[in-house]
PDB file of all heavy atoms in Angstrom:
ATOM      1  N   PRO I 249       0.821  -1.229   0.000  1.00 90.00           N
ATOM      2  CA  PRO I 249       0.000   0.000   0.000  1.00 90.00           C
ATOM      3  C   PRO I 249       0.846   1.267   0.000  1.00 90.00           C
ATOM      4  O   PRO I 249       0.885   2.034   0.974  1.00 90.00           O
ATOM      5  CB  PRO I 249      -0.808  -0.128   1.300  1.00 90.00           C
ATOM      6  CG  PRO I 249       0.040  -0.966   2.198  1.00 90.00           C
ATOM      7  CD  PRO I 249       0.747  -1.943   1.303  1.00 90.00           C
ATOM      8  N   THR I 250       1.545   1.497  -1.114  1.00 92.00           N
ATOM      9  CA  THR I 250       2.428   2.669  -1.195  1.00 92.00           C
ATOM     10  C   THR I 250       1.638   3.974  -1.249  1.00 92.00           C
ATOM     11  O   THR I 250       2.117   5.015  -0.782  1.00 92.00           O
ATOM     12  CB  THR I 250       3.324   2.580  -2.436  1.00 92.00           C
ATOM     13  OG1 THR I 250       2.509   2.292  -3.584  1.00 92.00           O
ATOM     14  CG2 THR I 250       4.369   1.503  -2.293  1.00 92.00           C
ATOM     15  N   THR I 251       0.435   3.945  -1.808  1.00 91.00           N
ATOM     16  CA  THR I 251      -0.321   5.193  -1.960  1.00 91.00           C
ATOM     17  C   THR I 251      -0.647   5.806  -0.608  1.00 91.00           C
ATOM     18  O   THR I 251      -0.308   6.966  -0.335  1.00 91.00           O
ATOM     19  CB  THR I 251      -1.615   4.946  -2.750  1.00 91.00           C
ATOM     20  OG1 THR I 251      -1.297   4.321  -4.001  1.00 91.00           O
ATOM     21  CG2 THR I 251      -2.331   6.255  -3.017  1.00 91.00           C
ATOM     22  N   ILE I 252      -1.290   5.049   0.269  1.00 91.00           N
ATOM     23  CA  ILE I 252      -1.625   5.591   1.587  1.00 91.00           C
ATOM     24  C   ILE I 252      -0.370   5.720   2.442  1.00 91.00           C
ATOM     25  O   ILE I 252      -0.250   6.635   3.256  1.00 91.00           O
ATOM     26  CB  ILE I 252      -2.690   4.718   2.287  1.00 91.00           C
ATOM     27  CG1 ILE I 252      -3.129   5.358   3.606  1.00 91.00           C
ATOM     28  CG2 ILE I 252      -2.171   3.316   2.534  1.00 91.00           C
ATOM     29  CD1 ILE I 252      -3.764   6.731   3.443  1.00 91.00           C
ATOM     30  N   GLY I 253       0.601   4.824   2.245  1.00 90.00           N
ATOM     31  CA  GLY I 253       1.858   4.941   2.982  1.00 90.00           C
ATOM     32  C   GLY I 253       2.567   6.243   2.668  1.00 90.00           C
ATOM     33  O   GLY I 253       3.184   6.862   3.545  1.00 90.00           O
ATOM     34  N   ALA I 254       2.489   6.680   1.404  1.00 91.00           N
ATOM     35  CA  ALA I 254       3.146   7.915   0.993  1.00 91.00           C
ATOM     36  C   ALA I 254       2.420   9.157   1.506  1.00 91.00           C
ATOM     37  O   ALA I 254       3.041  10.186   1.770  1.00 91.00           O
ATOM     38  CB  ALA I 254       3.241   7.965  -0.528  1.00 91.00           C
ATOM     39  N   LEU I 255       1.100   9.065   1.650  1.00 90.00           N
ATOM     40  CA  LEU I 255       0.299  10.247   1.970  1.00 90.00           C
ATOM     41  C   LEU I 255      -0.110  10.337   3.436  1.00 90.00           C
ATOM     42  O   LEU I 255      -0.647  11.358   3.862  1.00 90.00           O
ATOM     43  CB  LEU I 255      -0.967  10.263   1.103  1.00 90.00           C
ATOM     44  CG  LEU I 255      -0.736  10.331  -0.410  1.00 90.00           C
ATOM     45  CD1 LEU I 255      -2.060  10.165  -1.143  1.00 90.00           C
ATOM     46  CD2 LEU I 255      -0.082  11.645  -0.806  1.00 90.00           C
ATOM     47  N   LEU I 256       0.125   9.290   4.219  1.00 87.00           N
ATOM     48  CA  LEU I 256      -0.389   9.236   5.584  1.00 87.00           C
ATOM     49  C   LEU I 256       0.101  10.396   6.434  1.00 87.00           C
ATOM     50  O   LEU I 256      -0.677  11.056   7.134  1.00 87.00           O
ATOM     51  CB  LEU I 256      -0.006   7.902   6.232  1.00 87.00           C
ATOM     52  CG  LEU I 256      -0.553   7.646   7.630  1.00 87.00           C
ATOM     53  CD1 LEU I 256      -2.070   7.688   7.627  1.00 87.00           C
ATOM     54  CD2 LEU I 256      -0.061   6.300   8.154  1.00 87.00           C
ATOM     55  N   SER I 257       1.393  10.657   6.405  1.00 83.00           N
ATOM     56  CA  SER I 257       1.942  11.737   7.224  1.00 83.00           C
ATOM     57  C   SER I 257       1.408  13.090   6.778  1.00 83.00           C
ATOM     58  O   SER I 257       1.070  13.941   7.603  1.00 83.00           O
ATOM     59  CB  SER I 257       3.472  11.723   7.154  1.00 83.00           C
ATOM     60  OG  SER I 257       4.023  12.770   7.915  1.00 83.00           O
ATOM     61  N   ALA I 258       1.317  13.286   5.445  1.00 85.00           N
ATOM     62  CA  ALA I 258       0.832  14.562   4.923  1.00 85.00           C
ATOM     63  C   ALA I 258      -0.606  14.816   5.347  1.00 85.00           C
ATOM     64  O   ALA I 258      -0.993  15.953   5.637  1.00 85.00           O
ATOM     65  CB  ALA I 258       0.936  14.581   3.398  1.00 85.00           C
ATOM     66  N   ILE I 259      -1.434  13.765   5.405  1.00 86.00           N
ATOM     67  CA  ILE I 259      -2.837  13.919   5.807  1.00 86.00           C
ATOM     68  C   ILE I 259      -2.916  14.443   7.232  1.00 86.00           C
ATOM     69  O   ILE I 259      -3.690  15.352   7.543  1.00 86.00           O
ATOM     70  CB  ILE I 259      -3.584  12.576   5.671  1.00 86.00           C
ATOM     71  CG1 ILE I 259      -3.700  12.176   4.206  1.00 86.00           C
ATOM     72  CG2 ILE I 259      -4.966  12.667   6.302  1.00 86.00           C
ATOM     73  CD1 ILE I 259      -4.211  10.759   4.008  1.00 86.00           C
ATOM     74  N   GLY I 260      -2.105  13.868   8.141  1.00 79.00           N
ATOM     75  CA  GLY I 260      -2.130  14.297   9.537  1.00 79.00           C
ATOM     76  C   GLY I 260      -1.646  15.721   9.717  1.00 79.00           C
ATOM     77  O   GLY I 260      -2.250  16.513  10.455  1.00 79.00           O
ATOM     78  N   ILE I 261      -0.546  16.072   9.049  1.00 78.00           N
ATOM     79  CA  ILE I 261      -0.012  17.429   9.162  1.00 78.00           C
ATOM     80  C   ILE I 261      -0.996  18.438   8.585  1.00 78.00           C
ATOM     81  O   ILE I 261      -1.234  19.504   9.153  1.00 78.00           O
ATOM     82  CB  ILE I 261       1.349  17.525   8.451  1.00 78.00           C
ATOM     83  CG1 ILE I 261       2.380  16.654   9.173  1.00 78.00           C
ATOM     84  CG2 ILE I 261       1.834  18.972   8.388  1.00 78.00           C
ATOM     85  CD1 ILE I 261       3.700  16.558   8.455  1.00 78.00           C
ATOM     86  N   ALA I 262      -1.607  18.086   7.443  1.00 79.00           N
ATOM     87  CA  ALA I 262      -2.560  18.997   6.806  1.00 79.00           C
ATOM     88  C   ALA I 262      -3.785  19.214   7.672  1.00 79.00           C
ATOM     89  O   ALA I 262      -4.398  20.287   7.636  1.00 79.00           O
ATOM     90  CB  ALA I 262      -2.973  18.448   5.438  1.00 79.00           C
ATOM     91  N   GLY I 263      -4.169  18.204   8.464  1.00 78.00           N
ATOM     92  CA  GLY I 263      -5.312  18.371   9.359  1.00 78.00           C
ATOM     93  C   GLY I 263      -5.068  19.474  10.371  1.00 78.00           C
ATOM     94  O   GLY I 263      -5.927  20.327  10.616  1.00 78.00           O
ATOM     95  N   MET I 264      -3.876  19.488  10.972  1.00 75.00           N
ATOM     96  CA  MET I 264      -3.527  20.557  11.913  1.00 75.00           C
ATOM     97  C   MET I 264      -3.426  21.894  11.192  1.00 75.00           C
ATOM     98  O   MET I 264      -3.829  22.930  11.710  1.00 75.00           O
ATOM     99  CB  MET I 264      -2.212  20.227  12.605  1.00 75.00           C
ATOM    100  CG  MET I 264      -2.283  19.041  13.554  1.00 75.00           C
ATOM    101  SD  MET I 264      -0.727  18.770  14.443  1.00 75.00           S
ATOM    102  CE  MET I 264      -0.655  20.251  15.445  1.00 75.00           C
ATOM    103  N   ASP I 265      -2.906  21.850   9.962  1.00 75.00           N
ATOM    104  CA  ASP I 265      -2.734  23.080   9.200  1.00 75.00           C
ATOM    105  C   ASP I 265      -4.089  23.698   8.848  1.00 75.00           C
ATOM    106  O   ASP I 265      -4.241  24.915   8.843  1.00 75.00           O
ATOM    107  CB  ASP I 265      -1.937  22.788   7.926  1.00 75.00           C
ATOM    108  CG  ASP I 265      -1.606  24.055   7.163  1.00 75.00           C
ATOM    109  OD1 ASP I 265      -0.837  24.864   7.700  1.00 75.00           O
ATOM    110  OD2 ASP I 265      -2.122  24.238   6.042  1.00 75.00           O
ATOM    111  N   ARG I 266      -5.094  22.848   8.557  1.00 77.00           N
ATOM    112  CA  ARG I 266      -6.422  23.379   8.262  1.00 77.00           C
ATOM    113  C   ARG I 266      -6.986  24.121   9.469  1.00 77.00           C
ATOM    114  O   ARG I 266      -7.671  25.136   9.326  1.00 77.00           O
ATOM    115  CB  ARG I 266      -7.370  22.257   7.827  1.00 77.00           C
ATOM    116  CG  ARG I 266      -7.279  21.907   6.356  1.00 77.00           C
ATOM    117  CD  ARG I 266      -8.449  21.050   5.927  1.00 77.00           C
ATOM    118  NE  ARG I 266      -8.435  19.740   6.550  1.00 77.00           N
ATOM    119  CZ  ARG I 266      -7.725  18.706   6.111  1.00 77.00           C
ATOM    120  NH1 ARG I 266      -6.946  18.844   5.055  1.00 77.00           N
ATOM    121  NH2 ARG I 266      -7.782  17.541   6.721  1.00 77.00           N
ATOM    122  N   LEU I 267      -6.719  23.613  10.657  1.00 78.00           N
ATOM    123  CA  LEU I 267      -7.169  24.312  11.862  1.00 78.00           C
ATOM    124  C   LEU I 267      -6.456  25.656  12.000  1.00 78.00           C
ATOM    125  O   LEU I 267      -7.066  26.662  12.349  1.00 78.00           O
ATOM    126  CB  LEU I 267      -6.893  23.456  13.099  1.00 78.00           C
ATOM    127  CG  LEU I 267      -7.967  22.448  13.500  1.00 78.00           C
ATOM    128  CD1 LEU I 267      -7.538  21.719  14.765  1.00 78.00           C
ATOM    129  CD2 LEU I 267      -9.304  23.125  13.727  1.00 78.00           C
ATOM    130  N   ILE I 268      -5.149  25.672  11.730  1.00 72.00           N
ATOM    131  CA  ILE I 268      -4.389  26.913  11.822  1.00 72.00           C
ATOM    132  C   ILE I 268      -4.956  27.944  10.854  1.00 72.00           C
ATOM    133  O   ILE I 268      -5.116  29.119  11.179  1.00 72.00           O
ATOM    134  CB  ILE I 268      -2.895  26.662  11.533  1.00 72.00           C
ATOM    135  CG1 ILE I 268      -2.279  25.847  12.670  1.00 72.00           C
ATOM    136  CG2 ILE I 268      -2.139  27.980  11.364  1.00 72.00           C
ATOM    137  CD1 ILE I 268      -0.872  25.387  12.409  1.00 72.00           C
ATOM    138  N   ARG I 269      -5.293  27.495   9.642  1.00 70.00           N
ATOM    139  CA  ARG I 269      -5.857  28.410   8.649  1.00 70.00           C
ATOM    140  C   ARG I 269      -7.271  28.823   9.011  1.00 70.00           C
ATOM    141  O   ARG I 269      -7.829  29.740   8.414  1.00 70.00           O
ATOM    142  CB  ARG I 269      -5.811  27.763   7.268  1.00 70.00           C
ATOM    143  CG  ARG I 269      -4.391  27.632   6.749  1.00 70.00           C
ATOM    144  CD  ARG I 269      -4.280  26.711   5.538  1.00 70.00           C
ATOM    145  NE  ARG I 269      -2.888  26.599   5.173  1.00 70.00           N
ATOM    146  CZ  ARG I 269      -2.254  27.417   4.340  1.00 70.00           C
ATOM    147  NH1 ARG I 269      -2.914  28.399   3.780  1.00 70.00           N
ATOM    148  NH2 ARG I 269      -0.994  27.260   4.068  1.00 70.00           N
ATOM    149  N   PHE I 270      -7.861  28.120   9.965  1.00 74.00           N
ATOM    150  CA  PHE I 270      -9.166  28.487  10.497  1.00 74.00           C
ATOM    151  C   PHE I 270      -8.999  29.272  11.784  1.00 74.00           C
ATOM    152  O   PHE I 270      -9.942  29.459  12.549  1.00 74.00           O
ATOM    153  CB  PHE I 270      -9.988  27.223  10.750  1.00 74.00           C
ATOM    154  CG  PHE I 270     -11.458  27.419  10.625  1.00 74.00           C
ATOM    155  CD1 PHE I 270     -12.040  27.651   9.397  1.00 74.00           C
ATOM    156  CD2 PHE I 270     -12.271  27.385  11.741  1.00 74.00           C
ATOM    157  CE1 PHE I 270     -13.397  27.839   9.276  1.00 74.00           C
ATOM    158  CE2 PHE I 270     -13.637  27.571  11.641  1.00 74.00           C
ATOM    159  CZ  PHE I 270     -14.199  27.795  10.402  1.00 74.00           C
ATOM    160  N   ASN I 271      -7.768  29.736  12.027  1.00 73.00           N
ATOM    161  CA  ASN I 271      -7.424  30.549  13.197  1.00 73.00           C
ATOM    162  C   ASN I 271      -7.528  29.786  14.520  1.00 73.00           C
ATOM    163  O   ASN I 271      -7.832  30.367  15.557  1.00 73.00           O
ATOM    164  CB  ASN I 271      -8.279  31.815  13.263  1.00 73.00           C
ATOM    165  CG  ASN I 271      -8.069  32.719  12.075  1.00 73.00           C
ATOM    166  OD1 ASN I 271      -7.144  32.512  11.297  1.00 73.00           O
ATOM    167  ND2 ASN I 271      -8.924  33.695  11.910  1.00 73.00           N
ATOM    168  N   VAL I 272      -7.281  28.477  14.460  1.00 80.00           N
ATOM    169  CA  VAL I 272      -7.258  27.664  15.669  1.00 80.00           C
ATOM    170  C   VAL I 272      -5.909  26.956  15.732  1.00 80.00           C
ATOM    171  O   VAL I 272      -5.497  26.320  14.757  1.00 80.00           O
ATOM    172  CB  VAL I 272      -8.389  26.616  15.682  1.00 80.00           C
ATOM    173  CG1 VAL I 272      -8.297  25.742  16.926  1.00 80.00           C
ATOM    174  CG2 VAL I 272      -9.743  27.313  15.642  1.00 80.00           C
ATOM    175  N   LEU I 273      -5.219  27.072  16.863  1.00 77.00           N
ATOM    176  CA  LEU I 273      -3.936  26.414  17.035  1.00 77.00           C
ATOM    177  C   LEU I 273      -4.134  25.158  17.874  1.00 77.00           C
ATOM    178  O   LEU I 273      -4.615  25.230  19.006  1.00 77.00           O
ATOM    179  CB  LEU I 273      -2.936  27.344  17.724  1.00 77.00           C
ATOM    180  CG  LEU I 273      -2.609  28.642  16.974  1.00 77.00           C
ATOM    181  CD1 LEU I 273      -1.635  29.478  17.771  1.00 77.00           C
ATOM    182  CD2 LEU I 273      -2.056  28.353  15.596  1.00 77.00           C
ATOM    183  N   ALA I 274      -3.788  24.008  17.302  1.00 78.00           N
ATOM    184  CA  ALA I 274      -3.918  22.743  18.018  1.00 78.00           C
ATOM    185  C   ALA I 274      -2.584  22.398  18.661  1.00 78.00           C
ATOM    186  O   ALA I 274      -1.535  22.462  18.023  1.00 78.00           O
ATOM    187  CB  ALA I 274      -4.338  21.635  17.053  1.00 78.00           C
ATOM    188  N   MET I 275      -2.626  22.029  19.930  1.00 73.00           N
ATOM    189  CA  MET I 275      -1.398  21.687  20.642  1.00 73.00           C
ATOM    190  C   MET I 275      -0.854  20.328  20.215  1.00 73.00           C
ATOM    191  O   MET I 275       0.312  20.041  20.418  1.00 73.00           O
ATOM    192  CB  MET I 275      -1.655  21.671  22.154  1.00 73.00           C
ATOM    193  CG  MET I 275      -2.292  22.938  22.693  1.00 73.00           C
ATOM    194  SD  MET I 275      -1.274  24.388  22.390  1.00 73.00           S
ATOM    195  CE  MET I 275      -2.221  25.645  23.247  1.00 73.00           C
ATOM    196  N   SER I 276      -1.707  19.488  19.630  1.00 69.00           N
ATOM    197  CA  SER I 276      -1.260  18.160  19.228  1.00 69.00           C
ATOM    198  C   SER I 276      -2.190  17.620  18.157  1.00 69.00           C
ATOM    199  O   SER I 276      -3.341  18.042  18.036  1.00 69.00           O
ATOM    200  CB  SER I 276      -1.254  17.194  20.427  1.00 69.00           C
ATOM    201  OG  SER I 276      -2.582  16.944  20.862  1.00 69.00           O
ATOM    202  N   GLY I 277      -1.661  16.685  17.360  1.00 70.00           N
ATOM    203  CA  GLY I 277      -2.495  16.015  16.374  1.00 70.00           C
ATOM    204  C   GLY I 277      -3.577  15.187  17.032  1.00 70.00           C
ATOM    205  O   GLY I 277      -4.649  14.974  16.461  1.00 70.00           O
ATOM    206  N   ARG I 278      -3.309  14.709  18.234  1.00 77.00           N
ATOM    207  CA  ARG I 278      -4.292  13.911  18.966  1.00 77.00           C
ATOM    208  C   ARG I 278      -5.583  14.710  19.176  1.00 77.00           C
ATOM    209  O   ARG I 278      -6.684  14.170  19.087  1.00 77.00           O
ATOM    210  CB  ARG I 278      -3.719  13.475  20.315  1.00 77.00           C
ATOM    211  CG  ARG I 278      -4.647  12.585  21.130  1.00 77.00           C
ATOM    212  CD  ARG I 278      -4.062  12.372  22.516  1.00 77.00           C
ATOM    213  NE  ARG I 278      -2.799  11.657  22.456  1.00 77.00           N
ATOM    214  CZ  ARG I 278      -2.675  10.336  22.574  1.00 77.00           C
ATOM    215  NH1 ARG I 278      -3.755   9.590  22.753  1.00 77.00           N
ATOM    216  NH2 ARG I 278      -1.490   9.768  22.521  1.00 77.00           N
ATOM    217  N   ALA I 279      -5.444  16.020  19.457  1.00 80.00           N
ATOM    218  CA  ALA I 279      -6.626  16.849  19.684  1.00 80.00           C
ATOM    219  C   ALA I 279      -7.463  16.975  18.421  1.00 80.00           C
ATOM    220  O   ALA I 279      -8.694  16.928  18.469  1.00 80.00           O
ATOM    221  CB  ALA I 279      -6.200  18.234  20.181  1.00 80.00           C
ATOM    222  N   VAL I 280      -6.800  17.153  17.279  1.00 82.00           N
ATOM    223  CA  VAL I 280      -7.523  17.262  16.011  1.00 82.00           C
ATOM    224  C   VAL I 280      -8.278  15.973  15.726  1.00 82.00           C
ATOM    225  O   VAL I 280      -9.447  15.982  15.323  1.00 82.00           O
ATOM    226  CB  VAL I 280      -6.557  17.579  14.851  1.00 82.00           C
ATOM    227  CG1 VAL I 280      -7.331  17.808  13.561  1.00 82.00           C
ATOM    228  CG2 VAL I 280      -5.700  18.786  15.176  1.00 82.00           C
ATOM    229  N   GLU I 281      -7.601  14.863  15.923  1.00 81.00           N
ATOM    230  CA  GLU I 281      -8.219  13.568  15.658  1.00 81.00           C
ATOM    231  C   GLU I 281      -9.375  13.308  16.611  1.00 81.00           C
ATOM    232  O   GLU I 281     -10.429  12.799  16.212  1.00 81.00           O
ATOM    233  CB  GLU I 281      -7.170  12.466  15.795  1.00 81.00           C
ATOM    234  CG  GLU I 281      -7.629  11.112  15.306  1.00 81.00           C
ATOM    235  CD  GLU I 281      -6.485  10.128  15.307  1.00 81.00           C
ATOM    236  OE1 GLU I 281      -5.742  10.103  14.309  1.00 81.00           O
ATOM    237  OE2 GLU I 281      -6.327   9.404  16.294  1.00 81.00           O
ATOM    238  N   ALA I 282      -9.199  13.675  17.882  1.00 84.00           N
ATOM    239  CA  ALA I 282     -10.266  13.474  18.859  1.00 84.00           C
ATOM    240  C   ALA I 282     -11.492  14.288  18.496  1.00 84.00           C
ATOM    241  O   ALA I 282     -12.633  13.856  18.728  1.00 84.00           O
ATOM    242  CB  ALA I 282      -9.774  13.853  20.259  1.00 84.00           C
ATOM    243  N   ALA I 283     -11.281  15.471  17.908  1.00 85.00           N
ATOM    244  CA  ALA I 283     -12.416  16.307  17.506  1.00 85.00           C
ATOM    245  C   ALA I 283     -13.298  15.581  16.502  1.00 85.00           C
ATOM    246  O   ALA I 283     -14.519  15.763  16.480  1.00 85.00           O
ATOM    247  CB  ALA I 283     -11.920  17.630  16.921  1.00 85.00           C
ATOM    248  N   GLY I 284     -12.689  14.760  15.662  1.00 83.00           N
ATOM    249  CA  GLY I 284     -13.464  14.025  14.669  1.00 83.00           C
ATOM    250  C   GLY I 284     -14.285  12.902  15.254  1.00 83.00           C
ATOM    251  O   GLY I 284     -15.216  12.405  14.608  1.00 83.00           O
ATOM    252  N   ASP I 285     -13.966  12.481  16.478  1.00 85.00           N
ATOM    253  CA  ASP I 285     -14.686  11.375  17.118  1.00 85.00           C
ATOM    254  C   ASP I 285     -15.586  11.838  18.253  1.00 85.00           C
ATOM    255  O   ASP I 285     -16.099  11.026  19.016  1.00 85.00           O
ATOM    256  CB  ASP I 285     -13.676  10.352  17.673  1.00 85.00           C
ATOM    257  CG  ASP I 285     -13.131   9.444  16.584  1.00 85.00           C
ATOM    258  OD1 ASP I 285     -13.854   9.217  15.604  1.00 85.00           O
ATOM    259  OD2 ASP I 285     -11.990   8.976  16.718  1.00 85.00           O
ATOM    260  N   VAL I 286     -15.778  13.159  18.373  1.00 88.00           N
ATOM    261  CA  VAL I 286     -16.549  13.704  19.497  1.00 88.00           C
ATOM    262  C   VAL I 286     -17.991  13.197  19.471  1.00 88.00           C
ATOM    263  O   VAL I 286     -18.633  13.144  18.420  1.00 88.00           O
ATOM    264  CB  VAL I 286     -16.514  15.246  19.452  1.00 88.00           C
ATOM    265  CG1 VAL I 286     -17.645  15.854  20.260  1.00 88.00           C
ATOM    266  CG2 VAL I 286     -15.180  15.748  19.974  1.00 88.00           C
ATOM    267  N   ASP I 287     -18.472  12.813  20.638  1.00 89.00           N
ATOM    268  CA  ASP I 287     -19.861  12.373  20.795  1.00 89.00           C
ATOM    269  C   ASP I 287     -20.721  13.432  21.478  1.00 89.00           C
ATOM    270  O   ASP I 287     -21.923  13.515  21.228  1.00 89.00           O
ATOM    271  CB  ASP I 287     -19.926  11.091  21.639  1.00 89.00           C
ATOM    272  CG  ASP I 287     -19.127   9.962  21.032  1.00 89.00           C
ATOM    273  OD1 ASP I 287     -19.538   9.473  19.973  1.00 89.00           O
ATOM    274  OD2 ASP I 287     -18.096   9.577  21.611  1.00 89.00           O
ATOM    275  N   THR I 288     -20.109  14.210  22.384  1.00 92.00           N
ATOM    276  CA  THR I 288     -20.848  15.190  23.170  1.00 92.00           C
ATOM    277  C   THR I 288     -20.164  16.542  23.069  1.00 92.00           C
ATOM    278  O   THR I 288     -18.942  16.644  23.202  1.00 92.00           O
ATOM    279  CB  THR I 288     -20.915  14.768  24.656  1.00 92.00           C
ATOM    280  OG1 THR I 288     -21.502  13.463  24.744  1.00 92.00           O
ATOM    281  CG2 THR I 288     -21.757  15.743  25.455  1.00 92.00           C
ATOM    282  N   LEU I 289     -20.961  17.574  22.841  1.00 89.00           N
ATOM    283  CA  LEU I 289     -20.441  18.921  22.669  1.00 89.00           C
ATOM    284  C   LEU I 289     -21.067  19.823  23.731  1.00 89.00           C
ATOM    285  O   LEU I 289     -22.288  19.960  23.808  1.00 89.00           O
ATOM    286  CB  LEU I 289     -20.791  19.432  21.268  1.00 89.00           C
ATOM    287  CG  LEU I 289     -20.095  20.667  20.739  1.00 89.00           C
ATOM    288  CD1 LEU I 289     -18.592  20.477  20.719  1.00 89.00           C
ATOM    289  CD2 LEU I 289     -20.608  20.994  19.342  1.00 89.00           C
ATOM    290  N   LEU I 290     -20.222  20.431  24.583  1.00 90.00           N
ATOM    291  CA  LEU I 290     -20.695  21.337  25.618  1.00 90.00           C
ATOM    292  C   LEU I 290     -20.482  22.775  25.157  1.00 90.00           C
ATOM    293  O   LEU I 290     -19.380  23.136  24.745  1.00 90.00           O
ATOM    294  CB  LEU I 290     -19.945  21.112  26.931  1.00 90.00           C
ATOM    295  CG  LEU I 290     -19.902  19.679  27.481  1.00 90.00           C
ATOM    296  CD1 LEU I 290     -19.206  19.663  28.826  1.00 90.00           C
ATOM    297  CD2 LEU I 290     -21.305  19.109  27.602  1.00 90.00           C
ATOM    298  N   LEU I 291     -21.529  23.591  25.222  1.00 84.00           N
ATOM    299  CA  LEU I 291     -21.437  24.973  24.769  1.00 84.00           C
ATOM    300  C   LEU I 291     -22.033  25.905  25.807  1.00 84.00           C
ATOM    301  O   LEU I 291     -23.088  25.626  26.386  1.00 84.00           O
ATOM    302  CB  LEU I 291     -22.188  25.170  23.443  1.00 84.00           C
ATOM    303  CG  LEU I 291     -21.780  24.289  22.265  1.00 84.00           C
ATOM    304  CD1 LEU I 291     -22.832  23.226  22.043  1.00 84.00           C
ATOM    305  CD2 LEU I 291     -21.597  25.109  21.007  1.00 84.00           C
TER     306      LEU I 291
END
């Protein structure tokens, strides 16, 4: 699986970068990934 192997790191870095371009600074990639699995949102 060279295709996903080649792009895997770029996908993770780009995820954090999209947040930065949305004016949000993520302290870790774990936080970005956890946001995608959120079940409960407190506002």
Side-chain angles (χ1 to χ4, degrees):
T250 50
T251 305
I252 185 61
L255 299 173
L256 184 59
S257 179
I259 293 170
I261 294 173
M264 292 184 66
D265 186 66
R266 276 194 294 277
L267 273 182
I268 291 172
R269 291 167 183 272
F270 209 70
N271 298 349
V272 177
L273 299 179
M275 307 300 184
S276 68
R278 183 188 296 266
V280 185
E281 190 173 275
D285 281 331
V286 160
D287 302 292
T288 303
L289 194 58
L290 307 184
L291 303 105

